[in-house]
Amino acid sequence: MPLRVEGELRVPSDKSISHRAIIIGSLADGEVRVKNWLRSADTLATLNIYRALGTRIEELSPTELVVRGGGLFSFREPGDILNAENSGTTTRLTLGVLSAQPFFAVLTGDHSLRRRPMLRVVKPLREMGATIDGREEGNLLPIAVRGGRLKGISFFNKKASAQVKSALLLAGLHAEGITEVEEPYLSRDHTERMLQLFEVDLTVIPAFGGVLVKLKGGQQPKGDKDIFVPADPSSAAFFAAAAVLLPGSKLLLKDVLINPTRDGFFRKLKEMGANIEYTNVRELSMEPIADIYVEYSPNLRGVRVFPEEVPAMIDELPLLAVVATQAEGETRIEGAAELRVKESDRIKAVVENLRKMGAKVEELPDGMVIEGKTPLRGGVEIKTYDDHRIAMAFTIAGLIADKPVKLDNPQCVSVSYPQFFEDLKRVLKEG
Ligand code: S3P
């Protein structure tokens, strides 16, 4: 029976902004009301950590929080190890906050997070004055921090990592003097936007094709604010891909964040020839949002993804590879070596699973080349590596295959999208 997606859907809220609403909300000096918060395994890890550090967080409903922080230096020494579970954002941003606190804290995480590199953030934080140690000389969790008085530094963020930039800006808020972070390409800028919403004075200047973000230490973020969190483009992407790939589909994705540092996947789909349109464009809590209308798009063409385009679609690249199997000609993704140190090695996971389904894919050290159009073969077991984005990308691949696929761990979607399968069922139609 042919499948299509149809109707309207508001996917869960943005994960990056939901983490930051708690973290920056905890640093503010008054009440912060968070509306449409994402409640998922990753963001709950953040909530539990900030409660353990002394922030009072009231849950008015599953998606509505009141965060009562007491200002920059109001945290207390946690009585136990802090567990960030599967969340790199929680870990790296919190390392920035802990570096400035006059106490001892230890952070750990699950089997995947304990393999992910932390020296990228530990090194500059040490340079600012924090005492940090951990396995592999501070590269791997568990990591212990003894924070203290920090001084601002100038840092070149070579990998354009938003987590590193955010950690340094949050540490820099507490530091003496100026903290500067320069990046070759602009990475997601939610920390900068939210700090500005909290009346922190921060400068963003174009620099050598990239950008320089600069802030003066000692500024207290002002509370008594509302934050509305928009729908997550990284979650909406799975449904946009389903609509593009399944004949007869017409889907409206509501309230989606279209920040230019995040909407690269949708722009790339358009470049591939997809029928996709932003409507009702507006702004919410300093972030641009839109309703995204997507239709079945039978004439997709292969494209190139250049290194400078990677940050704005980094989490959607596994899904883009799935879509590329249905595009005419070659799709080449380069400059994406960071995919190897995400929740799993996403280059390896995508290449292995796509090949299992009969796609033609070449593995590159920093990306992949996909040759389309190839019909996908179902009836196989997908190895998710317990990675939510691999699980969801290959669920979409399964919809266009001749037979369904089986995921070895479907539950891992709870990291960012606990009700993914229910939402998919709701918009999926037969016949
Ligand atoms: C994130 C930044 C990105 C992204 C991750 C979320 C954030 O990671 O892949 O899913 O919220 O700052 P990097 O900073 O490692 O690029």
Side-chain angles (χ1 to χ4, degrees):
M1 203 61 129
L3 294 171
R4 66 180 192 282
V5 286
E6 206 174 87
E8 280 188 16
L9 181 67
R10 200 268 185 202
V11 300
S13 290
D14 191 69
K15 183 154 79 68
S16 290
I17 297 179
S18 295
H19 283 302
R20 285 162 174 81
I22 292 191
I23 300 173
I24 303 177
S26 297
L27 298 172
D29 64 1
E31 196 172 283
V32 175
R33 296 161 295 270
V34 189
K35 315 278 164 87
N36 287 334
W37 186 67
L38 167 71
R39 189 183 187 82
S40 74
D42 263 20
T43 53
L44 283 169
T46 298
L47 184 142
N48 290 332
I49 285 179
Y50 283 80
R51 274 190 176 152
L53 289 170
T55 304
R56 283 180 302 132
I57 305 173
E58 197 183 329
E59 295 169 81
L60 301 181
S61 78
T63 59
E64 204 171 330
L65 305 179
V66 182
V67 180
R68 291 193 181 87
L72 286 178
F73 293 100
S74 64
F75 296 117
R76 61 156 193 246
E77 183 170 88
D80 203 348
I81 293 171
L82 305 169
N83 194 337
E85 312 281 352
N86 192 243
S87 176
T89 305
T90 310
T91 309
R92 297 198 178 111
L93 271 60
T94 301
L95 285 172
V97 172
L98 292 175
S99 289
Q101 308 302 325
F103 54 68
F104 177 79
V106 181
L107 262 172
T108 193
D110 71 3
H111 68 97
S112 148
L113 194 61
R114 279 184 274 115
R115 280 199 299 261
R116 296 180 64 186
M118 298 298 159
L119 221 44
R120 53 183 63 198
V121 57
V122 165
K123 250 185 166 163
L125 289 171
R126 280 178 179 154
E127 212 184 303
M128 292 178 82
T131 305
I132 308 179
D133 209 348
R135 290 188 301 137
E136 279 188 10
E137 298 180 1
N139 189 35
L140 297 181
L141 297 174
I143 285 178
V145 185
R146 185 168 286 284
R149 288 170 69 91
L150 303 180
K151 57 177 193 315
I153 58 166
S154 294
F155 181 74
F156 184 64
N157 187 19
K158 196 166 127 209
K159 297 181 203 295
S161 158
Q163 294 175 355
V164 172
K165 171 176 63 176
S166 302
L168 300 189
L169 292 177
L170 296 180
L173 261 189
H174 302 76
E176 200 181 300
I178 308 272
T179 297
E180 288 183 345
V181 183
E182 186 182 333
E183 23 190 35
Y185 331 112
L186 180 63
S187 66
R188 65 189 66 189
D189 60 357
H190 311 304
T191 299
E192 295 93 299
R193 287 173 188 255
M194 201 178 286
L195 286 175
Q196 284 169 326
L197 181 72
F198 285 20
E199 299 173 50
V200 170
D201 187 23
L202 154 161
T203 322
V204 183
I205 343 175
F208 311 111
V211 69
L212 176 74
V213 188
K214 211 168 153 172
L215 67 73
K216 192 159 177 267
Q219 299 184 65
Q220 172 57 60
K222 302 261 186 308
D224 194 19
K225 298 274 185 297
D226 294 321
I227 297 180
F228 294 87
V229 189
D232 194 327
S234 300
S235 296
F238 298 108
F239 293 91
V244 161
L245 296 174
L246 296 171
S249 295
K250 285 180 184 2
L251 192 67
L252 187 68
L253 295 159
K254 305 273 285 180
D255 303 342
V256 183
L257 173 74
I258 54 160
N259 178 319
T261 64
R262 294 289 304 283
D263 76 338
F265 175 76
F266 300 102
R267 286 185 272 120
K268 200 46 88 176
L269 278 187
K270 199 162 178 87
E271 189 185 323
M272 294 174 88
N275 302 318
I276 181 163
E277 210 180 300
Y278 291 173
T279 62
N280 194 16
V281 177
R282 56 215 191 268
E283 203 180 279
L284 196 62
S285 300
M286 306 275 276
E287 294 278 1
I289 71 168
D291 299 337
I292 304 182
Y293 179 70
V294 200
E295 264 183 17
Y296 173 55
S297 310
N299 300 311
L300 298 177
R301 301 176 294 274
V303 283
R304 291 191 67 175
V305 175
F306 296 99
E308 64 272 23
E309 296 178 311
V310 164
M313 60 178 98
I314 182 76
D315 295 334
E316 292 70 67
L317 288 173
L319 180 65
L320 188 75
V322 169
V323 175
T325 64
Q326 304 309 305
E328 207 59 62
E330 181 184 285
T331 293
R332 179 176 281 267
I333 302 171
E334 283 169 310
E338 276 296 296
L339 286 179
R340 295 205 181 269
V341 290
K342 294 292 178 190
E343 287 84 327
S344 69
D345 177 342
R346 288 182 174 162
I347 295 180
K348 179 169 166 243
V350 167
V351 170
E352 178 185 324
N353 286 309
L354 275 184
R355 280 193 185 146
K356 225 186 260 179
M357 296 184 76
K360 296 194 201 94
V361 204
E362 185 194 334
E363 178 168 355
L364 306 175
D366 65 340
M368 53 197 128
V369 183
I370 305 107
E371 193 60 50
K373 252 176 164 172
T374 319
L376 295 184
R377 218 172 31 230
V380 296
E381 184 171 272
I382 298 299
K383 212 165 162 193
T384 60
Y385 293 92
D386 306 322
D387 182 334
H388 56 135
R389 303 219 190 271
I390 298 298
M392 292 186 275
F394 280 88
T395 299
I396 303 305
L399 297 178
I400 55 167
D402 57 350
K403 278 185 255 159
V405 294
K406 187 171 176 299
L407 305 178
D408 64 358
N409 179 11
Q411 283 79 35
C412 66
V413 302
S414 66
V415 156
S416 62
Y417 199 158
Q419 66 274 40
F420 173 71
F421 296 108
E422 288 77 17
D423 280 358
L424 185 57
K425 214 184 246 168
R426 211 155 58 71
V427 293
L428 206 54
K429 313 275 182 241
E430 272 186 32

